[in-house]
Amino acid sequence: MLLPIKESEINRLIPSVATGKQFNSALGNPRKIFQRILVSAIGGVITLLISQSQVTSQFYSLWLVLGVVFLLYILWGPILEASRKNSKFKSYSFSALVDGFISDVYVEDRVENQLEQANSDGRLEIIEKKRTWVVLDIEDEDGFLGNISFPLKNKFNILKQGMKINCVVFSNRKDFSNIQAISDAWCPEINLWVGSYPFLLRPAFEEFVNRRILS
């Protein structure tokens, strides 16, 4: 069952500014964090050095500000990325609360990154680093809605077919004949949240579900 959500309600469920959980998610894997640190350090040092050579120039303050901005990139970068993700979901014309169930649970290996490495013959070969993801197919009384996926963790072993699941779907069509995005989801029977990114404000969504479905 799909229950339409008003724009004012979706604005309360998905924040405009990144939350702590969203910031942590947007930080990414260690490789991505290291890249952010490099950009922050190199960009900050270079611009601050330039600013010192421009002390008597009218552009000194500008270079100084740019240096501070680069140094803080490790902080504002993930915030900006998370806020963009939130804005993208909120840009769809229509959203609806899903009162559905898990129709299938399966895992698949996905390539996270690729590296070129020389083999014993001196030839370059591509080494793929893979990670196991859980995929949940979601249905309601009218049929298949879509799926969500997320990295495998031990606690996800308790997910079973037929379990109730609540999430939000987004579309630019009022009849939701073309679902274009699905949020993270809550499994109320086991009080477990699943998804690769925490779009929803969890306590607010749980309260919203109880009010709309159980009332």
Side-chain angles (χ1 to χ4, degrees), residues 23-160:
F23 175 85
N24 290 334
S25 179
L27 271 177
N29 55 37
R31 183 180 180 184
K32 189 173 183 180
I33 294 173
F34 180 68
Q35 290 174 341
R36 290 187 193 276
I37 292 174
L38 280 181
V39 171
S40 180
I42 295 174
V45 169
I46 290 176
T47 50
L48 287 176
L49 286 176
I50 293 174
S51 71
Q52 294 307 306
S53 66
Q54 301 288 319
V55 173
T56 59
S57 169
Q58 60 179 333
F59 299 109
Y60 169 71
S61 297
L62 176 61
W63 282 108
L64 188 61
V65 170
L66 285 175
V68 173
V69 168
F70 268 111
L71 289 173
L72 294 178
Y73 173 68
I74 187 64
L75 296 178
W76 64 258
I79 293 174
L80 180 61
E81 181 178 331
S83 298
R84 283 177 175 173
K85 287 183 178 182
N86 294 352
S87 297
K88 181 180 179 181
F89 266 45
K90 294 167 72 173
S91 67
Y92 294 109
S93 301
F94 304 99
S95 59
L97 171 63
V98 174
D99 184 21
F101 62 92
I102 299 173
S103 60
D104 198 8
V105 184
Y106 54 96
V107 297
E108 58 183 29
D109 290 332
R110 298 182 181 179
V111 177
E112 282 200 328
N113 56 60
Q114 296 180 331
L115 299 174
E116 286 190 348
Q117 182 175 310
N119 59 21
S120 57
D121 299 326
R123 296 180 180 178
L124 289 177
E125 59 181 10
I126 296 177
I127 307 298
E128 294 182 341
K129 181 180 179 182
K130 295 183 178 181
R131 188 175 186 182
T132 302
W133 284 60
V134 180
V135 182
L136 301 182
D137 287 344
I138 300 174
E139 292 188 17
D140 69 356
E141 57 193 10
D142 296 320
F144 180 73
L145 296 173
N147 57 53
I148 58 175
S149 57
F150 42 89
L152 175 64
K153 294 181 181 179
N154 290 335
K155 63 181 179 180
F156 296 137
N157 293 335
I158 60 177
L159 292 167
K160 306 294 181 183

Side-chain angles (χ1 to χ4, degrees), residues 145-181:
L145 296 173
N147 57 53
I148 58 175
S149 57
F150 42 89
L152 175 64
K153 294 181 181 179
N154 290 335
K155 63 181 179 180
F156 296 137
N157 293 335
I158 60 177
L159 292 167
K160 306 294 181 183
Q161 284 181 297
M163 279 186 173
K164 186 176 179 180
I165 192 166
N166 301 115
C167 58
V168 179
V169 292
F170 300 84
S171 178
N172 285 323
R173 296 184 180 179
K174 192 172 184 179
D175 61 359
F176 291 92
S177 57
N178 179 25
I179 293 176
Q180 293 162 282

